[in-house]
Amino acid sequence: MVAVHTRERLTVTQAGGSAGAYVTGLDLSRTLDAAEVMGLRAALLSHLVVALPDQTMTLDDLERLTDQLGGRDMTPFVKPLDGRPFVIRILKEPHERLNFANAWHTDLSYLKAPPSFTLLYCLEAPPYGGDTIWANQYMAYETLSPGLRDTLLQTDLIHSAGSAYGTGGYLDSVKGKMSTVVEPSKDAYREETHPAVIAHAETGRAALYANPVYTSRVAGWSQAESNGLLQHLYRHAVNENFTWRLSWRKGTLAIWDNRCTQHFAMNDYQGFRREMVRTSVKGSEPQRAA
Ligand code: SIN
């Protein structure tokens, strides 16, 4: 018999002033009904990041939820799990010093159509530390000066995975030191151009779309000119007032919206193990905000 869940059971509790909510009342080991998916999406669009604690999920459950939110997408340059081409493992063992994603970024912004959402499920959490922090990029845009906002509305930025995943890039240089299995490639140097300010595909709100891992320069500007503007944007975009931080426990699933957030994985749990599995939901090509 298929269990039926009603939307009334879904409770959304705001957890931060700039982003973040806890969603309870859903059992993710079962197929959500249409009303529950709608409720979860609504929570995501309002709060940008949602955390669903105390879930017991298999990889099938994670993939099914990913499909229900819009369909699975590949994660280039990270080795997927055997037999699960859409699932990656993010793992730091107790003896390792480096962790994965210890820099502000928006997932896969170097793709033509980056993922709309990311799902990250915690299989093992350290006793302290290892939090993930998100920053609200609607706020980042809205708090720039009117003059810079106007300029950015007409600006394109170049994105590439090269400095992270390119042959000879950062992750290539440290890949023997991390259990998260990366696959550096010369293909990572491929460039994609996106507007500096995008209109969120569902809410229509304008969000800053620049991140220090994947944005490489301003279209039509020299690298030196680009660096000045981009460094300013990167600092501004992650102002503490725009952020929310999640302390993980085994069984927590977080889902975030890549069209209006950046995130950062803390590396402050030396000597402990942290293991997560991650999927991405197919997105669309970012469009310029008006
Ligand atoms: C990621 O950026 O996908 C990983 C975030 C984390 O491990 O907290």
Side-chain angles (χ1 to χ4, degrees):
M1 197 173 104
V2 178
V4 176
H5 296 262
T6 63
R7 191 171 172 188
E8 285 67 53
R9 294 179 59 187
L10 180 151
T11 303
V12 180
T13 308
Q14 184 163 354
S18 301
Y22 286 98
V23 173
T24 54
L26 294 180
D27 176 358
L28 300 179
S29 68
R30 303 178 183 222
T31 304
L32 300 186
D33 67 26
E36 289 172 324
V37 174
M38 206 194 304
L40 187 54
R41 285 191 84 91
L44 263 167
L45 295 180
S46 298
H47 299 286
L48 288 56
V49 189
V50 297
L52 297 96
D54 303 321
Q55 298 291 332
T56 305
M57 296 178 80
T58 63
L59 295 178
D60 286 343
D61 298 332
L62 183 65
E63 289 181 333
R64 186 183 57 245
L65 181 61
T66 307
D67 290 341
Q68 288 198 285
L69 288 171
R72 298 169 216 181
D73 207 355
M74 304 290 285
T75 300
F77 315 125
V78 181
K79 188 175 183 306
L81 295 187
D82 288 345
R84 304 267 180 183
F86 299 97
V87 184
I88 63 166
R89 180 161 74 151
I90 296 173
L91 171 63
K92 180 169 183 272
E93 294 286 8
H95 67 275
E96 292 171 352
R97 304 300 295 176
L98 302 176
N99 71 331
F100 183 73
N102 186 224
W104 284 103
H105 65 288
T106 299
D107 284 339
L108 316 191
S109 72
Y110 55 85
L111 295 179
K112 191 174 184 59
S116 51
F117 302 116
T118 300
L119 288 78
L120 190 64
Y121 180 60
C122 181
L123 296 173
E124 185 171 348
Y128 55 78
D131 296 358
T132 306
I133 311 175
W134 289 267
N136 179 329
Q137 299 304 286
Y138 295 133
M139 285 184 167
Y141 172 67
E142 288 158 7
T143 52
L144 292 167
S145 68
L148 185 48
R149 285 204 302 266
D150 283 350
T151 301
L152 291 176
L153 285 172
Q154 299 160 53
T155 300
D156 286 321
L157 302 178
I158 313 292
H159 295 245
S160 155
S163 65
Y165 291 102
T167 317
Y170 171 69
L171 288 165
D172 199 8
S173 72
V174 299
K175 67 177 188 281
K177 299 180 179 155
M178 287 197 326
S179 289
T180 305
V181 186
V182 295
E183 297 179 321
S185 164
K186 60 178 178 16
D187 297 341
Y189 289 100
R190 212 176 65 81
E191 294 185 333
E192 201 57 65
T193 303
H194 294 305
V197 184
I198 62 170
H200 189 288
E202 291 177 78
T203 67
R205 289 179 65 186
L208 185 62
Y209 201 66
N211 72 86
V213 171
Y214 300 129
T215 309
S216 52
R217 62 185 193 284
V218 181
W221 294 26
S222 72
Q223 190 65 58
E225 290 165 342
S226 301
N227 291 346
L229 174 62
L230 291 176
Q231 288 307 320
H232 172 73
L233 294 179
Y234 298 156
R235 269 196 314 276
H236 172 80
V238 300
N239 181 299
E240 290 82 348
N241 293 315
F242 308 155
T243 66
W244 180 63
R245 176 173 185 141
L246 173 67
S247 283
W248 293 93
R249 291 200 321 251
K250 176 181 162 68
T252 298
L253 175 78
I255 311 173
W256 64 87
D257 190 330
N258 289 301
R259 299 162 294 186
C260 51
T261 60
Q262 290 194 48
H263 61 281
F264 181 102
M266 290 289 292
N267 186 15
D268 57 350
Y269 54 103
Q270 302 304 345
F272 296 105
R273 192 171 191 276
R274 181 181 186 270
E275 182 178 9
M276 325 287 270
V277 279
R278 184 183 113 170
T279 57
S280 304
V281 176
K282 271 188 202 311
S284 54
E285 201 173 328
Q287 301 297 316
R288 189 180 308 284

